[in-house]
Amino acid sequence: METPAPPGPSAGPFPPLFPPGLHGIYGECRRLYPEQPNPLQVTAILKYWLGGPDPLDYVSMYRNLGSPALNVPEHWHYVSFGLSDLYGDNRVHEFTGPDGPSGFGFELTFRLKRETGESAPPTWPAELMQGLARYVFQSENTFCSGDHVSWHSPLDNSESRIQHMLLTEDPQMQPVQTPFGVVTFLQIVGVCTEELHAAQQWNGQGILELLRTVPVAGGPWLITDMRRGETIFEIDPHLQDRVDKGIETDGSNLSGVSAKCAWDDLSRPPEDDEDSRSICIGTHPRRLSGKDTEQIRETLRRGLEINSKPVLPPINSQRQNGLNSDRAPSRKDSLESESSATIIPHELIRTRQLESVHLKFNQESGALIPLCLRGRLLHGRHFTYKSITGDTAITFVSTGVEGAFATEEHPYAAHGPWLQILLTEEFVERMLEDLEDLNSPEEFKLPKEYSWPEKKLKVSILPDAVFDNPLH
């Protein structure tokens, strides 16, 4: 990427320089910043549609004076161009007309606190936005307000505690209607690890509201300060009580994660490869069928919705022409693996009831089990672990979830490499007591095993290295 002088959209009146989608977003920027018609801009040297690596054609950078009355500091405001359809000629996005979303339906924005004496905006946020855009283009996951992004690295590659992101509506930019559809503006908000975990355990919107109440942590416009050294819970310890009460009242909106996990069928001898669950059968690992993959994807997407009666989608649900009919809420959540093309015909994979199962998680995944139980199952919902190293999936369901193939009579059931486990409220409460030390993982050594013999259930927390070996 390079940082040129004035941006293309303002360079002249000729149509080639004014693609309608680009012009629509630029018009909204001009409404906010009439005195900055030619902002500094980071431009992709080789456009994505010509084979370049950066999906965003431009990232414009504006100087925002903030609002002293609202205690909003001066900051740099970054706006992306490229997640929406800028051109309408199918070079990047399929043209779908003016009535739906334009491209992915949104552009990214970011507000970075201006440091004293800083005369030009740092350009690292543009590369951060390109990284998120690459994820969207490659996965076709669309972001929504309240989503969280686990980044696991300081956003500016410094020593900052701001290492993850939440997404919310930009407080100043209004949705734009273009000839190619509607574009909304989602703002990136930098957060600390503890704040990310709170968003996972409760929900992103709740943490965003708390951040708005703490001026140094974001304030009303949620401005990121990379020099912030304290979490909101360190600044105001009472905010942790708000989160705990929120989880108790609302449950968690996190419906699943990609994880290092595995499961074994203990009710059959391991040599019975024909019908027992093993990670590999010979040299050919079992695969999720396309329909299973679609159902798990729908499971996670629906888990993000607050339903009075959660329902797992039917296992035989059909897709329109092989595509989701509504692209905007289609959330693959990293579930469509390259290997998900059906190896075994779906109709030949029967659902198997299992007598006894052994669940295996690495430490990071295991630490989420209390969230799965307290924040999801006790609220009548479901939670899915999808293996990042294969097609294994584990879905915990409560008795209030319809459409599951696990039942109270047969609480452990498998469909190919997808295991469902139905847990009653009474058993969930007991598990929470027994798994209490998972809330303090630094206090125990791996491997760690938990067992409920009368339920024929065993859970192991294992080192990462175990999951790096496909024959674990």
Side-chain angles (χ1 to χ4, degrees), residues 55-70:
L56 302 176
D57 281 14
Y58 313 101
V59 175
S60 287
M61 303 178 286
Y62 295 91
R63 184 167 178 169
N64 191 304
L65 298 179
S67 172
L70 297 175

Side-chain angles (χ1 to χ4, degrees), residues 43 68 72 77 138 148 206 208 212 223 226-227 264 270 280 289 291 314 339 361 371 413 435 448 456:
T43 303
V72 174
H77 191 195
Q138 291 166 9
H148 65 267
L208 288 163
R212 288 187 179 99
I223 293 160
M226 294 303 297
R227 296 195 177 189
D264 289 327
C280 291
S289 72
K291 290 183 179 179
S339 61
F361 302 94
L371 160 67
L435 297 171
K448 182 80 173 180
K456 298 182 178 179

Side-chain angles (χ1 to χ4, degrees), residues 331-348:
R331 307 176 57 84
K332 292 189 183 179
D333 287 293
S334 305
L335 286 181
E336 189 170 74
S337 70
E338 295 176 359
S339 61
S340 63
T342 310
I343 290 179
I344 306 171
H346 181 274
E347 49 277 0
L348 298 183

